[in-house]
Amino acid sequence: RRFRRVMSSTQRDNEHDPSFRRTLRVVASVAAQRAFPGRVMYGGHPIDGAYLFAFREGDAPTEAEGKLLEAAMLELIEADAELTLRALPYADAIAYFVAHDMDASASLLRSRVRGTVQCVDVRGMLRLSLFPLLASAGLLAAARPWVHVAREGLLVVYHPAPFVPSPTLLASFTDHRAWGRVHGAQTLGALNALKGVGREVVDFNLHAEFRQEAKLAAIAEAIRARNEAAESASHAVGVICIAGPTSSGKTTFATKLAMYLSNFGYHAVALSVDHYYLPLDRQPQYQLRSDRSDVDYDSIDAMDVVLVNEHVNALLAGEEVMTPVYNMKTGYRDEPGKAFKLPPTGKAILVLEGIHSLNPAYTSMVSAERLFRIYISPLSALQLDEANTMRTTDHRLLRRMCRDFLFRGYPASRTLAVWDKVRVGEHRWIFPHQDGVDFVMNSAMEYELRVLKVYAEPLLSAVEPHEPTFGKAR
């Protein structure tokens, strides 16, 4: 059996073609096995138009090893190596992966036993067949993938040079991967293998919770330390800006951080920025042809950033402001608004949590020393097999699907229908500002997947064949 022989016509198409990206990960994984016999690489973490591959034991790669991986990968591409589907008996598949010390694949098979296992054969080297792929490695040639060497691992790049990987993503993946290595849960199969009898699962869950609590404590301590070192109260941290993609846990995180700060005597108060939209007659897109459907409420241009800055500075100065109350039905503000003032404790901190909170324009008139900026996202380092990971995007989609059902009564089909639009907004308004922050909060907790499955699986099973999102749900 063969995979489809389809090639995207442009570089941009390549980057957005799931089969292209999945094939690249498999080819890179096979190339790593050829280049480094006797060593195992885990890979597939997406980093800014590249995939991070790293040695399982955490060894930092060398420039020479980067060249070896690139040469092995290009050899497969230039030879147009075929990717062939093979159905193997379960025992034969397990025997292959155990013999080659491929614990991610072996443990995944043991947790989901099937009589026959579908594998991908690339020149006699096997990978689990988890997704549809292209028919041969030669179909990757147009993208001219290459290898960038970083301290955290080898990045297989399919984006044109110059390439600058996000330090935020690299640091978070590396930190989380090290935590998984210590607790014996680097892979989905290992997570599934945790024993429900006794303390094993309970202790793992507690360790995951402790890790989150430790990060919250570290943030609170960092803010306290900065304020103690400040020349005066007017130079201390007065605003905490929190942003991240949907279903990252922003609201829960902000609430818990306020509790931790209270242990140091701080009073953290949230300012709702969801009401700071420009009135309809001042919306740039509406002014063009007076059609409200043109207004993009996710855009920074739809926000009254001048008023946000004025109110933040006034609040830091101890003044009272009238915050707007935006009426989504009319497109205008309901007057007179709501009176808002920080508590006169001398240790009050304003919390801004929203899609644009890390956008420099949002706080451009506020002194930088008064800001503490936090980016939050569940950046899981969990491997499915040696070439594929638990995608952060999928993790967040599962969270949102469960939240939409439990708190809004939405079916999974509705969540899936708007997901692509949500993702476009994230790439435009959130991800460009994820670097250069004071703290990255990785909200991933691997045990959460076992909990989400209980809710998400029935929701996905309820999507009917006539619905446009049926294919996604399968």
PDB file of all heavy atoms in Angstrom, residues 401-433:
ATOM      1  N   MET A 401     -13.006  22.376  24.229  1.00  0.00           N
ATOM      2  CA  MET A 401     -14.182  21.570  23.917  1.00  0.00           C
ATOM      3  C   MET A 401     -14.933  21.199  25.207  1.00  0.00           C
ATOM      4  O   MET A 401     -16.169  21.310  25.272  1.00  0.00           O
ATOM      5  CB  MET A 401     -13.744  20.308  23.176  1.00  0.00           C
ATOM      6  CG  MET A 401     -14.853  19.523  22.517  1.00  0.00           C
ATOM      7  SD  MET A 401     -14.164  18.039  21.753  1.00  0.00           S
ATOM      8  CE  MET A 401     -12.918  18.743  20.682  1.00  0.00           C
ATOM      9  N   CYS A 402     -14.186  20.784  26.214  1.00  0.00           N
ATOM     10  CA  CYS A 402     -14.808  20.413  27.488  1.00  0.00           C
ATOM     11  C   CYS A 402     -15.393  21.634  28.183  1.00  0.00           C
ATOM     12  O   CYS A 402     -16.495  21.587  28.731  1.00  0.00           O
ATOM     13  CB  CYS A 402     -13.781  19.730  28.393  1.00  0.00           C
ATOM     14  SG  CYS A 402     -13.182  18.156  27.744  1.00  0.00           S
ATOM     15  N   ARG A 403     -14.669  22.745  28.149  1.00  0.00           N
ATOM     16  CA  ARG A 403     -15.167  23.979  28.773  1.00  0.00           C
ATOM     17  C   ARG A 403     -16.427  24.479  28.081  1.00  0.00           C
ATOM     18  O   ARG A 403     -17.400  24.880  28.741  1.00  0.00           O
ATOM     19  CB  ARG A 403     -14.087  25.064  28.714  1.00  0.00           C
ATOM     20  CG  ARG A 403     -14.471  26.357  29.414  1.00  0.00           C
ATOM     21  CD  ARG A 403     -13.485  27.462  29.085  1.00  0.00           C
ATOM     22  NE  ARG A 403     -13.628  27.911  27.708  1.00  0.00           N
ATOM     23  CZ  ARG A 403     -12.803  28.774  27.111  1.00  0.00           C
ATOM     24  NH1 ARG A 403     -11.761  29.238  27.775  1.00  0.00           N
ATOM     25  NH2 ARG A 403     -12.994  29.151  25.871  1.00  0.00           N
ATOM     26  N   ASP A 404     -16.421  24.472  26.757  1.00  0.00           N
ATOM     27  CA  ASP A 404     -17.590  24.949  26.010  1.00  0.00           C
ATOM     28  C   ASP A 404     -18.832  24.124  26.327  1.00  0.00           C
ATOM     29  O   ASP A 404     -19.947  24.643  26.391  1.00  0.00           O
ATOM     30  CB  ASP A 404     -17.309  24.897  24.504  1.00  0.00           C
ATOM     31  CG  ASP A 404     -16.422  26.042  24.030  1.00  0.00           C
ATOM     32  OD1 ASP A 404     -16.126  26.928  24.849  1.00  0.00           O
ATOM     33  OD2 ASP A 404     -16.033  26.046  22.850  1.00  0.00           O
ATOM     34  N   PHE A 405     -18.624  22.824  26.537  1.00  0.00           N
ATOM     35  CA  PHE A 405     -19.772  21.962  26.830  1.00  0.00           C
ATOM     36  C   PHE A 405     -20.245  22.137  28.282  1.00  0.00           C
ATOM     37  O   PHE A 405     -21.437  22.298  28.558  1.00  0.00           O
ATOM     38  CB  PHE A 405     -19.414  20.493  26.583  1.00  0.00           C
ATOM     39  CG  PHE A 405     -20.494  19.532  26.990  1.00  0.00           C
ATOM     40  CD1 PHE A 405     -21.638  19.381  26.219  1.00  0.00           C
ATOM     41  CD2 PHE A 405     -20.377  18.791  28.158  1.00  0.00           C
ATOM     42  CE1 PHE A 405     -22.645  18.502  26.606  1.00  0.00           C
ATOM     43  CE2 PHE A 405     -21.375  17.917  28.546  1.00  0.00           C
ATOM     44  CZ  PHE A 405     -22.511  17.770  27.767  1.00  0.00           C
ATOM     45  N   LEU A 406     -19.290  22.132  29.216  1.00  0.00           N
ATOM     46  CA  LEU A 406     -19.649  22.150  30.631  1.00  0.00           C
ATOM     47  C   LEU A 406     -20.193  23.492  31.097  1.00  0.00           C
ATOM     48  O   LEU A 406     -21.059  23.561  31.973  1.00  0.00           O
ATOM     49  CB  LEU A 406     -18.435  21.770  31.483  1.00  0.00           C
ATOM     50  CG  LEU A 406     -17.957  20.315  31.350  1.00  0.00           C
ATOM     51  CD1 LEU A 406     -16.636  20.120  32.077  1.00  0.00           C
ATOM     52  CD2 LEU A 406     -19.003  19.351  31.908  1.00  0.00           C
ATOM     53  N   PHE A 407     -19.695  24.602  30.518  1.00  0.00           N
ATOM     54  CA  PHE A 407     -20.075  25.927  31.017  1.00  0.00           C
ATOM     55  C   PHE A 407     -20.920  26.739  30.041  1.00  0.00           C
ATOM     56  O   PHE A 407     -21.487  27.760  30.431  1.00  0.00           O
ATOM     57  CB  PHE A 407     -18.810  26.716  31.395  1.00  0.00           C
ATOM     58  CG  PHE A 407     -18.019  26.061  32.491  1.00  0.00           C
ATOM     59  CD1 PHE A 407     -16.880  25.339  32.203  1.00  0.00           C
ATOM     60  CD2 PHE A 407     -18.436  26.143  33.806  1.00  0.00           C
ATOM     61  CE1 PHE A 407     -16.149  24.720  33.209  1.00  0.00           C
ATOM     62  CE2 PHE A 407     -17.719  25.535  34.823  1.00  0.00           C
ATOM     63  CZ  PHE A 407     -16.575  24.810  34.525  1.00  0.00           C
ATOM     64  N   ARG A 408     -20.973  26.303  28.773  1.00  0.00           N
ATOM     65  CA  ARG A 408     -21.761  27.054  27.794  1.00  0.00           C
ATOM     66  C   ARG A 408     -22.794  26.193  27.077  1.00  0.00           C
ATOM     67  O   ARG A 408     -23.618  26.705  26.325  1.00  0.00           O
ATOM     68  CB  ARG A 408     -20.821  27.699  26.755  1.00  0.00           C
ATOM     69  CG  ARG A 408     -19.816  28.656  27.372  1.00  0.00           C
ATOM     70  CD  ARG A 408     -18.796  29.139  26.370  1.00  0.00           C
ATOM     71  NE  ARG A 408     -17.808  30.008  26.996  1.00  0.00           N
ATOM     72  CZ  ARG A 408     -16.717  30.480  26.388  1.00  0.00           C
ATOM     73  NH1 ARG A 408     -16.484  30.146  25.126  1.00  0.00           N
ATOM     74  NH2 ARG A 408     -15.878  31.269  27.021  1.00  0.00           N
ATOM     75  N   GLY A 409     -22.703  24.876  27.285  1.00  0.00           N
ATOM     76  CA  GLY A 409     -23.659  23.976  26.653  1.00  0.00           C
ATOM     77  C   GLY A 409     -23.445  23.771  25.174  1.00  0.00           C
ATOM     78  O   GLY A 409     -24.335  23.286  24.461  1.00  0.00           O
ATOM     79  N   TYR A 410     -22.224  24.100  24.668  1.00  0.00           N
ATOM     80  CA  TYR A 410     -21.949  23.948  23.230  1.00  0.00           C
ATOM     81  C   TYR A 410     -21.553  22.511  22.911  1.00  0.00           C
ATOM     82  O   TYR A 410     -20.779  21.897  23.656  1.00  0.00           O
ATOM     83  CB  TYR A 410     -20.810  24.864  22.790  1.00  0.00           C
ATOM     84  CG  TYR A 410     -21.085  26.339  22.892  1.00  0.00           C
ATOM     85  CD1 TYR A 410     -20.045  27.265  22.803  1.00  0.00           C
ATOM     86  CD2 TYR A 410     -22.376  26.830  23.076  1.00  0.00           C
ATOM     87  CE1 TYR A 410     -20.275  28.632  22.900  1.00  0.00           C
ATOM     88  CE2 TYR A 410     -22.616  28.192  23.171  1.00  0.00           C
ATOM     89  CZ  TYR A 410     -21.562  29.081  23.088  1.00  0.00           C
ATOM     90  OH  TYR A 410     -21.796  30.423  23.177  1.00  0.00           O
ATOM     91  N   PRO A 411     -22.012  21.958  21.791  1.00  0.00           N
ATOM     92  CA  PRO A 411     -21.543  20.639  21.355  1.00  0.00           C
ATOM     93  C   PRO A 411     -20.136  20.746  20.774  1.00  0.00           C
ATOM     94  O   PRO A 411     -19.669  21.842  20.434  1.00  0.00           O
ATOM     95  CB  PRO A 411     -22.559  20.240  20.282  1.00  0.00           C
ATOM     96  CG  PRO A 411     -23.020  21.544  19.708  1.00  0.00           C
ATOM     97  CD  PRO A 411     -23.028  22.514  20.867  1.00  0.00           C
ATOM     98  N   ALA A 412     -19.471  19.615  20.625  1.00  0.00           N
ATOM     99  CA  ALA A 412     -18.107  19.610  20.074  1.00  0.00           C
ATOM    100  C   ALA A 412     -18.075  20.180  18.662  1.00  0.00           C
ATOM    101  O   ALA A 412     -17.093  20.823  18.268  1.00  0.00           O
ATOM    102  CB  ALA A 412     -17.553  18.192  20.085  1.00  0.00           C
ATOM    103  N   SER A 413     -19.131  19.954  17.886  1.00  0.00           N
ATOM    104  CA  SER A 413     -19.157  20.440  16.500  1.00  0.00           C
ATOM    105  C   SER A 413     -19.014  21.956  16.436  1.00  0.00           C
ATOM    106  O   SER A 413     -18.370  22.493  15.527  1.00  0.00           O
ATOM    107  CB  SER A 413     -20.450  19.999  15.806  1.00  0.00           C
ATOM    108  OG  SER A 413     -21.588  20.443  16.526  1.00  0.00           O
ATOM    109  N   ARG A 414     -19.603  22.658  17.403  1.00  0.00           N
ATOM    110  CA  ARG A 414     -19.504  24.123  17.408  1.00  0.00           C
ATOM    111  C   ARG A 414     -18.081  24.569  17.730  1.00  0.00           C
ATOM    112  O   ARG A 414     -17.551  25.499  17.102  1.00  0.00           O
ATOM    113  CB  ARG A 414     -20.493  24.709  18.413  1.00  0.00           C
ATOM    114  CG  ARG A 414     -20.430  26.223  18.502  1.00  0.00           C
ATOM    115  CD  ARG A 414     -21.641  26.811  19.185  1.00  0.00           C
ATOM    116  NE  ARG A 414     -21.543  28.252  19.303  1.00  0.00           N
ATOM    117  CZ  ARG A 414     -22.533  29.033  19.722  1.00  0.00           C
ATOM    118  NH1 ARG A 414     -23.703  28.496  20.032  1.00  0.00           N
ATOM    119  NH2 ARG A 414     -22.361  30.341  19.818  1.00  0.00           N
ATOM    120  N   THR A 415     -17.463  23.933  18.710  1.00  0.00           N
ATOM    121  CA  THR A 415     -16.074  24.271  19.050  1.00  0.00           C
ATOM    122  C   THR A 415     -15.155  24.015  17.864  1.00  0.00           C
ATOM    123  O   THR A 415     -14.295  24.840  17.540  1.00  0.00           O
ATOM    124  CB  THR A 415     -15.604  23.449  20.260  1.00  0.00           C
ATOM    125  OG1 THR A 415     -16.501  23.649  21.352  1.00  0.00           O
ATOM    126  CG2 THR A 415     -14.200  23.848  20.675  1.00  0.00           C
ATOM    127  N   LEU A 416     -15.320  22.874  17.220  1.00  0.00           N
ATOM    128  CA  LEU A 416     -14.475  22.533  16.067  1.00  0.00           C
ATOM    129  C   LEU A 416     -14.696  23.498  14.909  1.00  0.00           C
ATOM    130  O   LEU A 416     -13.757  23.829  14.174  1.00  0.00           O
ATOM    131  CB  LEU A 416     -14.776  21.106  15.612  1.00  0.00           C
ATOM    132  CG  LEU A 416     -14.361  19.989  16.577  1.00  0.00           C
ATOM    133  CD1 LEU A 416     -14.926  18.646  16.116  1.00  0.00           C
ATOM    134  CD2 LEU A 416     -12.849  19.913  16.696  1.00  0.00           C
ATOM    135  N   ALA A 417     -15.929  23.984  14.732  1.00  0.00           N
ATOM    136  CA  ALA A 417     -16.254  24.846  13.598  1.00  0.00           C
ATOM    137  C   ALA A 417     -15.540  26.194  13.674  1.00  0.00           C
ATOM    138  O   ALA A 417     -15.196  26.778  12.637  1.00  0.00           O
ATOM    139  CB  ALA A 417     -17.767  25.058  13.526  1.00  0.00           C
ATOM    140  N   VAL A 418     -15.304  26.704  14.882  1.00  0.00           N
ATOM    141  CA  VAL A 418     -14.682  28.024  15.018  1.00  0.00           C
ATOM    142  C   VAL A 418     -13.182  27.936  15.281  1.00  0.00           C
ATOM    143  O   VAL A 418     -12.504  28.965  15.349  1.00  0.00           O
ATOM    144  CB  VAL A 418     -15.354  28.828  16.155  1.00  0.00           C
ATOM    145  CG1 VAL A 418     -16.839  28.998  15.884  1.00  0.00           C
ATOM    146  CG2 VAL A 418     -15.125  28.181  17.521  1.00  0.00           C
ATOM    147  N   TRP A 419     -12.653  26.721  15.417  1.00  0.00           N
ATOM    148  CA  TRP A 419     -11.267  26.560  15.858  1.00  0.00           C
ATOM    149  C   TRP A 419     -10.262  27.176  14.891  1.00  0.00           C
ATOM    150  O   TRP A 419      -9.295  27.828  15.321  1.00  0.00           O
ATOM    151  CB  TRP A 419     -10.964  25.089  16.085  1.00  0.00           C
ATOM    152  CG  TRP A 419      -9.621  24.849  16.723  1.00  0.00           C
ATOM    153  CD1 TRP A 419      -8.550  24.206  16.174  1.00  0.00           C
ATOM    154  CD2 TRP A 419      -9.201  25.242  18.035  1.00  0.00           C
ATOM    155  NE1 TRP A 419      -7.504  24.178  17.056  1.00  0.00           N
ATOM    156  CE2 TRP A 419      -7.876  24.811  18.208  1.00  0.00           C
ATOM    157  CE3 TRP A 419      -9.832  25.925  19.070  1.00  0.00           C
ATOM    158  CZ2 TRP A 419      -7.165  25.037  19.382  1.00  0.00           C
ATOM    159  CZ3 TRP A 419      -9.119  26.156  20.245  1.00  0.00           C
ATOM    160  CH2 TRP A 419      -7.801  25.717  20.382  1.00  0.00           C
ATOM    161  N   ASP A 420     -10.455  27.000  13.592  1.00  0.00           N
ATOM    162  CA  ASP A 420      -9.500  27.551  12.621  1.00  0.00           C
ATOM    163  C   ASP A 420      -9.430  29.075  12.715  1.00  0.00           C
ATOM    164  O   ASP A 420      -8.347  29.666  12.622  1.00  0.00           O
ATOM    165  CB  ASP A 420      -9.868  27.126  11.203  1.00  0.00           C
ATOM    166  CG  ASP A 420      -9.584  25.654  10.948  1.00  0.00           C
ATOM    167  OD1 ASP A 420      -8.830  25.053  11.739  1.00  0.00           O
ATOM    168  OD2 ASP A 420     -10.127  25.097   9.973  1.00  0.00           O
ATOM    169  N   LYS A 421     -10.581  29.713  12.898  1.00  0.00           N
ATOM    170  CA  LYS A 421     -10.597  31.171  13.031  1.00  0.00           C
ATOM    171  C   LYS A 421      -9.889  31.603  14.313  1.00  0.00           C
ATOM    172  O   LYS A 421      -9.151  32.598  14.321  1.00  0.00           O
ATOM    173  CB  LYS A 421     -12.040  31.679  13.035  1.00  0.00           C
ATOM    174  CG  LYS A 421     -12.140  33.199  13.098  1.00  0.00           C
ATOM    175  CD  LYS A 421     -13.580  33.669  13.082  1.00  0.00           C
ATOM    176  CE  LYS A 421     -13.653  35.200  13.167  1.00  0.00           C
ATOM    177  NZ  LYS A 421     -15.058  35.682  13.182  1.00  0.00           N
ATOM    178  N   VAL A 422     -10.102  30.854  15.379  1.00  0.00           N
ATOM    179  CA  VAL A 422      -9.424  31.152  16.641  1.00  0.00           C
ATOM    180  C   VAL A 422      -7.915  31.077  16.458  1.00  0.00           C
ATOM    181  O   VAL A 422      -7.168  31.941  16.926  1.00  0.00           O
ATOM    182  CB  VAL A 422      -9.880  30.168  17.740  1.00  0.00           C
ATOM    183  CG1 VAL A 422      -9.006  30.290  18.988  1.00  0.00           C
ATOM    184  CG2 VAL A 422     -11.340  30.417  18.103  1.00  0.00           C
ATOM    185  N   ARG A 423      -7.469  30.056  15.753  1.00  0.00           N
ATOM    186  CA  ARG A 423      -6.026  29.858  15.535  1.00  0.00           C
ATOM    187  C   ARG A 423      -5.412  30.990  14.717  1.00  0.00           C
ATOM    188  O   ARG A 423      -4.280  31.418  14.983  1.00  0.00           O
ATOM    189  CB  ARG A 423      -5.801  28.520  14.823  1.00  0.00           C
ATOM    190  CG  ARG A 423      -6.182  27.317  15.635  1.00  0.00           C
ATOM    191  CD  ARG A 423      -5.112  26.964  16.645  1.00  0.00           C
ATOM    192  NE  ARG A 423      -3.923  26.500  15.976  1.00  0.00           N
ATOM    193  CZ  ARG A 423      -2.676  26.810  16.314  1.00  0.00           C
ATOM    194  NH1 ARG A 423      -2.453  27.619  17.329  1.00  0.00           N
ATOM    195  NH2 ARG A 423      -1.643  26.322  15.649  1.00  0.00           N
ATOM    196  N   VAL A 424      -6.138  31.487  13.722  1.00  0.00           N
ATOM    197  CA  VAL A 424      -5.642  32.610  12.922  1.00  0.00           C
ATOM    198  C   VAL A 424      -5.408  33.825  13.819  1.00  0.00           C
ATOM    199  O   VAL A 424      -4.372  34.506  13.724  1.00  0.00           O
ATOM    200  CB  VAL A 424      -6.635  32.957  11.792  1.00  0.00           C
ATOM    201  CG1 VAL A 424      -6.246  34.281  11.124  1.00  0.00           C
ATOM    202  CG2 VAL A 424      -6.666  31.847  10.748  1.00  0.00           C
ATOM    203  N   GLY A 425      -6.362  34.097  14.704  1.00  0.00           N
ATOM    204  CA  GLY A 425      -6.210  35.224  15.614  1.00  0.00           C
ATOM    205  C   GLY A 425      -5.030  35.072  16.554  1.00  0.00           C
ATOM    206  O   GLY A 425      -4.315  36.038  16.853  1.00  0.00           O
ATOM    207  N   GLU A 426      -4.780  33.852  17.015  1.00  0.00           N
ATOM    208  CA  GLU A 426      -3.644  33.605  17.907  1.00  0.00           C
ATOM    209  C   GLU A 426      -2.324  33.892  17.212  1.00  0.00           C
ATOM    210  O   GLU A 426      -1.425  34.515  17.787  1.00  0.00           O
ATOM    211  CB  GLU A 426      -3.680  32.149  18.382  1.00  0.00           C
ATOM    212  CG  GLU A 426      -4.833  31.835  19.317  1.00  0.00           C
ATOM    213  CD  GLU A 426      -4.961  30.359  19.617  1.00  0.00           C
ATOM    214  OE1 GLU A 426      -4.305  29.537  18.930  1.00  0.00           O
ATOM    215  OE2 GLU A 426      -5.730  30.011  20.537  1.00  0.00           O
ATOM    216  N   HIS A 427      -2.202  33.411  15.979  1.00  0.00           N
ATOM    217  CA  HIS A 427      -0.956  33.629  15.234  1.00  0.00           C
ATOM    218  C   HIS A 427      -0.731  35.113  14.944  1.00  0.00           C
ATOM    219  O   HIS A 427       0.419  35.570  14.868  1.00  0.00           O
ATOM    220  CB  HIS A 427      -0.983  32.839  13.929  1.00  0.00           C
ATOM    221  CG  HIS A 427      -0.630  31.397  14.109  1.00  0.00           C
ATOM    222  ND1 HIS A 427       0.668  30.945  14.166  1.00  0.00           N
ATOM    223  CD2 HIS A 427      -1.415  30.300  14.259  1.00  0.00           C
ATOM    224  CE1 HIS A 427       0.680  29.632  14.343  1.00  0.00           C
ATOM    225  NE2 HIS A 427      -0.566  29.217  14.403  1.00  0.00           N
ATOM    226  N   ARG A 428      -1.803  35.841  14.799  1.00  0.00           N
ATOM    227  CA  ARG A 428      -1.661  37.256  14.459  1.00  0.00           C
ATOM    228  C   ARG A 428      -1.440  38.137  15.678  1.00  0.00           C
ATOM    229  O   ARG A 428      -0.656  39.088  15.635  1.00  0.00           O
ATOM    230  CB  ARG A 428      -2.906  37.726  13.706  1.00  0.00           C
ATOM    231  CG  ARG A 428      -2.788  39.130  13.152  1.00  0.00           C
ATOM    232  CD  ARG A 428      -3.967  39.495  12.286  1.00  0.00           C
ATOM    233  NE  ARG A 428      -3.811  40.813  11.706  1.00  0.00           N
ATOM    234  CZ  ARG A 428      -4.727  41.407  10.964  1.00  0.00           C
ATOM    235  NH1 ARG A 428      -5.878  40.776  10.700  1.00  0.00           N
ATOM    236  NH2 ARG A 428      -4.520  42.624  10.481  1.00  0.00           N
ATOM    237  N   TRP A 429      -2.130  37.852  16.792  1.00  0.00           N
ATOM    238  CA  TRP A 429      -2.160  38.793  17.903  1.00  0.00           C
ATOM    239  C   TRP A 429      -1.448  38.318  19.172  1.00  0.00           C
ATOM    240  O   TRP A 429      -1.142  39.147  20.038  1.00  0.00           O
ATOM    241  CB  TRP A 429      -3.612  39.137  18.247  1.00  0.00           C
ATOM    242  CG  TRP A 429      -4.373  39.694  17.091  1.00  0.00           C
ATOM    243  CD1 TRP A 429      -5.459  39.140  16.470  1.00  0.00           C
ATOM    244  CD2 TRP A 429      -4.091  40.905  16.389  1.00  0.00           C
ATOM    245  NE1 TRP A 429      -5.871  39.933  15.432  1.00  0.00           N
ATOM    246  CE2 TRP A 429      -5.051  41.028  15.358  1.00  0.00           C
ATOM    247  CE3 TRP A 429      -3.127  41.907  16.531  1.00  0.00           C
ATOM    248  CZ2 TRP A 429      -5.073  42.101  14.481  1.00  0.00           C
ATOM    249  CZ3 TRP A 429      -3.142  42.977  15.650  1.00  0.00           C
ATOM    250  CH2 TRP A 429      -4.105  43.073  14.645  1.00  0.00           C
ATOM    251  N   ILE A 430      -1.198  37.024  19.311  1.00  0.00           N
ATOM    252  CA  ILE A 430      -0.627  36.532  20.576  1.00  0.00           C
ATOM    253  C   ILE A 430       0.806  36.024  20.404  1.00  0.00           C
ATOM    254  O   ILE A 430       1.728  36.479  21.098  1.00  0.00           O
ATOM    255  CB  ILE A 430      -1.517  35.415  21.168  1.00  0.00           C
ATOM    256  CG1 ILE A 430      -2.906  35.970  21.482  1.00  0.00           C
ATOM    257  CG2 ILE A 430      -0.882  34.838  22.433  1.00  0.00           C
ATOM    258  CD1 ILE A 430      -3.894  34.930  21.968  1.00  0.00           C
ATOM    259  N   PHE A 431       1.010  35.091  19.493  1.00  0.00           N
ATOM    260  CA  PHE A 431       2.328  34.455  19.359  1.00  0.00           C
ATOM    261  C   PHE A 431       3.466  35.432  19.044  1.00  0.00           C
ATOM    262  O   PHE A 431       4.596  35.207  19.503  1.00  0.00           O
ATOM    263  CB  PHE A 431       2.278  33.340  18.317  1.00  0.00           C
ATOM    264  CG  PHE A 431       1.347  32.212  18.691  1.00  0.00           C
ATOM    265  CD1 PHE A 431       0.661  31.504  17.722  1.00  0.00           C
ATOM    266  CD2 PHE A 431       1.143  31.865  20.012  1.00  0.00           C
ATOM    267  CE1 PHE A 431      -0.211  30.478  18.062  1.00  0.00           C
ATOM    268  CE2 PHE A 431       0.279  30.840  20.375  1.00  0.00           C
ATOM    269  CZ  PHE A 431      -0.399  30.150  19.384  1.00  0.00           C
ATOM    270  N   PRO A 432       3.234  36.519  18.286  1.00  0.00           N
ATOM    271  CA  PRO A 432       4.351  37.453  18.041  1.00  0.00           C
ATOM    272  C   PRO A 432       4.905  38.106  19.304  1.00  0.00           C
ATOM    273  O   PRO A 432       5.999  38.666  19.281  1.00  0.00           O
ATOM    274  CB  PRO A 432       3.721  38.505  17.115  1.00  0.00           C
ATOM    275  CG  PRO A 432       2.598  37.799  16.432  1.00  0.00           C
ATOM    276  CD  PRO A 432       2.052  36.873  17.478  1.00  0.00           C
ATOM    277  N   HIS A 433       4.165  38.032  20.418  1.00  0.00           N
ATOM    278  CA  HIS A 433       4.595  38.705  21.646  1.00  0.00           C
ATOM    279  C   HIS A 433       4.945  37.723  22.761  1.00  0.00           C
ATOM    280  O   HIS A 433       5.004  38.106  23.933  1.00  0.00           O
ATOM    281  CB  HIS A 433       3.484  39.651  22.111  1.00  0.00           C
ATOM    282  CG  HIS A 433       3.009  40.593  21.055  1.00  0.00           C
ATOM    283  ND1 HIS A 433       3.820  41.558  20.499  1.00  0.00           N
ATOM    284  CD2 HIS A 433       1.799  40.703  20.423  1.00  0.00           C
ATOM    285  CE1 HIS A 433       3.145  42.234  19.590  1.00  0.00           C
ATOM    286  NE2 HIS A 433       1.925  41.728  19.512  1.00  0.00           N
TER     287      HIS A 433
END
